[in-house]
Amino acid sequence: MITKLLPPLIIGDLKINVPIIQGGMGVKISTAALAGAVANCGGAGTIASVGLAQGRITDSNNYIEYSNKALQKEIRKARKLTKGVFGVNIMVALSNYEELVRTAVKEKVDYIISGAGLPLNLPKYTQGSSVKLITIVSSARSASIILKTWKRRYNRLPDAIIVEGPMAGGHLGFKADQLNSNTTDNLMTLVTDVIKTVKDFKADIPVIAAGGVYDGKDLIKFLELGAKGVQMGTRFVATEECPVSKRFKDLYVAAQEDDVIITQSPVGMPGRVLKTEFINRLKRSEKIPFKCNFHCLHSCDVKSAPYCIAQAMCSALKGDFDNSIVFAGSNVTRINKIVSVAELIKSIIEEAAECLIGKLKTKSEKN
Ligand SMILES: Cc1cc2nc3c(=O)[nH]c(=O)nc-3n(C[C@H](O)[C@H](O)[C@H](O)COP(=O)(O)O)c2cc1C
């Protein structure tokens, strides 16, 4: 009932009743189990396509085929779990980007979210399908480049734009020295700038805020700013349905301010991670042996990479922290328990409703 207070997130003909997209989280963090649970609660659930072959095959000849099949399997699993809205996150930086996009299209997902680079060719791989195309940007400049290029090359525009600010978890489209602040002020400025860019382009595209969105108050703050929804990652890791190990979730629950650090990833971007023994090994400049079987990321220079990011993310799943990179957003320090996806979404909706009602009361008292 209370959901009715919140406007749904409309992306073309998709209606997401609770205006929250669960962000794609690789490697194997946001699989069908999490995406399906979020979609069942009225949000949009996103399967991360990166690294689905990691730890399963070693033969590079089968990499593309196996990755496609693994993605197909996750999509079909999610479809069995939910009748709600779900899609796939496919990073531009992936060497099998085109193949994964084509697989997602064939499997008729509701949307594809693409960031970690500018998805300038995305419409080429999805022609003839009704899949919604959502791009992630970290600046109004990137949004402008995508709008102009898609219009010129394909005569179409993104169906939605996610603006990811510096508080997000995962790889970040900012320089390391821009990542110190622990408030959503920067994201608010970025969202405002991107909304203006879209308006200047005379386009009507929903803008979605991501990175540091924690509760219902944050949701309302961004809706009032003109965003049509939010994307959230970190909070969904600490849910019962997220398929990572208990050790992984416990690390989230225990995280304190000084456990959250920025590290340079072999992807060529900084990333926000939790301190683990692995980070200490990197600090000691320890050589971490690895064999690159697939060259899964365009941007990874295998010869100079100090470790394999895909392998390190895969090790995190079971809680092998001597060997793992554990991505997390700035707000991880506020998480103090593991809840179900339904409880998490319900609490955000209730906080949002409380915030709205409070604002209405203040307004009527003034009048
Ligand atoms: C553990 C983790 C893994 C992530 N993996 C990806 C990914 O594979 N692709 C991607 O585009 N974003 C990735 N992200 C970013 C999220 O999709 C989302 O945009 C971000 O977490 C939002 O910020 P928040 O964590 O403060 O809510 C990841 C984030 C986390 C926390």
Side-chain angles (χ1 to χ4, degrees):
M1 251 336 98
I2 212 158
T3 334
K4 298 229 165 81
L5 278 174
L6 288 174
L9 168 57
I10 306 287
I11 303 178
D13 56 6
L14 286 182
K15 186 176 172 204
I16 300 157
N17 288 323
V18 178
I20 299 174
I21 298 179
Q22 161 256 308
M25 291 178 284
V27 167
K28 300 179 202 171
I29 297 177
S30 66
T31 54
L34 181 59
V38 175
N40 277 336
C41 294
T46 311
I47 296 167
S49 63
V50 60
L52 292 173
Q54 192 62 37
R56 298 228 168 102
I57 56 163
T58 50
D59 181 357
S60 59
N61 293 329
N62 293 333
Y63 176 62
I64 289 186
E65 194 192 331
Y66 184 90
S67 303
N68 286 343
K69 282 214 173 113
L71 179 59
Q72 181 191 64
K73 201 168 143 196
E74 283 310 315
I75 295 170
R76 292 185 181 182
K77 247 196 230 171
R79 184 149 289 125
K80 279 198 182 138
L81 288 173
T82 186
K83 292 199 168 14
V85 177
F86 75 93
V88 174
N89 173 294
I90 310 176
M91 296 192 294
V92 184
L94 297 180
S95 55
N96 57 338
Y97 178 69
E98 177 181 344
E99 289 85 354
L100 291 172
V101 169
R102 292 195 188 279
T103 301
V105 168
K106 249 191 230 155
E107 291 300 311
K108 296 192 165 58
V109 292
D110 292 316
Y111 60 83
I112 292 172
I113 296 183
S114 216
L118 294 181
L120 298 181
N121 292 328
L122 180 57
K124 182 161 125 193
Y125 311 136
T126 63
Q127 259 163 20
S129 99
S130 62
V131 63
K132 302 294 172 291
L133 303 183
I134 307 175
T135 61
I136 306 180
V137 299
S138 297
S139 69
R141 188 172 171 270
S142 299
S144 173
I145 294 172
I146 293 169
L147 289 169
K148 285 182 188 151
T149 311
W150 283 25
K151 185 74 190 159
R152 191 181 66 244
R153 286 193 193 160
Y154 309 106
N155 193 29
R156 71 157 293 171
L157 295 173
D159 297 292
I161 299 178
I162 295 173
V163 186
E164 196 178 71
M167 284 178 78
H171 289 109
L172 301 155
F174 298 89
K175 296 208 174 79
D177 61 4
Q178 295 173 307
L179 298 170
N180 305 326
S181 114
N182 257 359
T183 75
T184 48
D185 291 357
N186 289 339
L187 178 60
M188 291 180 78
T189 308
L190 286 172
V191 167
T192 308
D193 290 351
V194 173
I195 290 174
K196 182 175 180 309
T197 303
V198 169
K199 218 172 166 188
D200 289 348
F201 206 77
K202 305 208 175 347
D204 184 15
I205 302 170
V207 171
I208 295 156
V213 177
Y214 189 80
D215 54 22
K217 258 196 197 161
D218 290 334
L219 171 59
I220 295 300
K221 184 168 74 184
F222 284 103
L223 292 181
E224 283 183 345
L225 201 64
K228 302 294 179 205
V230 295
Q231 172 167 280
M232 297 171 64
T234 301
R235 289 208 76 185
F236 284 107
V237 176
T239 59
E240 284 155 13
E241 291 86 343
C242 179
V244 301
S245 64
K246 179 154 184 322
R247 270 172 68 82
F248 190 124
K249 294 177 196 177
D250 286 347
L251 198 69
Y252 262 49
V253 172
Q256 304 289 315
E257 294 274 311
D258 56 359
D259 295 321
V260 188
I261 58 160
I262 300 296
T263 189
Q264 196 59 33
S265 148
V267 172
M269 297 166 99
R272 181 170 284 106
V273 300
L274 291 179
K275 263 189 206 162
T276 54
E277 179 48 29
F278 186 73
I279 297 290
N280 294 334
R281 291 175 67 194
L282 292 178
K283 276 197 185 141
R284 293 195 296 264
S285 304
E286 215 181 281
K287 188 82 197 132
I288 317 278
F290 69 91
K291 188 166 175 278
C292 175
N293 291 317
F294 319 124
H295 196 202
C296 62
L297 296 157
H298 283 302
S299 51
C300 179
D301 178 2
V302 179
K303 280 201 190 114
S304 63
Y307 62 96
C308 168
I309 181 78
Q311 199 176 295
M313 288 179 74
C314 205
S315 300
L317 296 175
K318 33 186 198 303
D320 170 11
F321 300 133
D322 288 352
N323 294 298
S324 59
I325 283 286
V326 180
F327 280 123
S330 301
N331 273 332
V332 66
T333 53
R334 295 169 69 186
I335 294 177
N336 52 25
K337 61 177 177 184
I338 297 161
V339 295
S340 69
V341 166
E343 283 168 315
L344 174 59
I345 291 188
K346 185 170 172 270
S347 70
I348 296 173
I349 294 171
E350 282 172 0
E351 288 150 4
E354 217 173 278
C355 178
L356 277 179
I357 292 165
K359 279 170 188 274
L360 285 175
K361 263 194 195 152
T362 320
K363 211 172 154 189
S364 73
E365 274 161 18
K366 271 189 190 159
N367 291 336

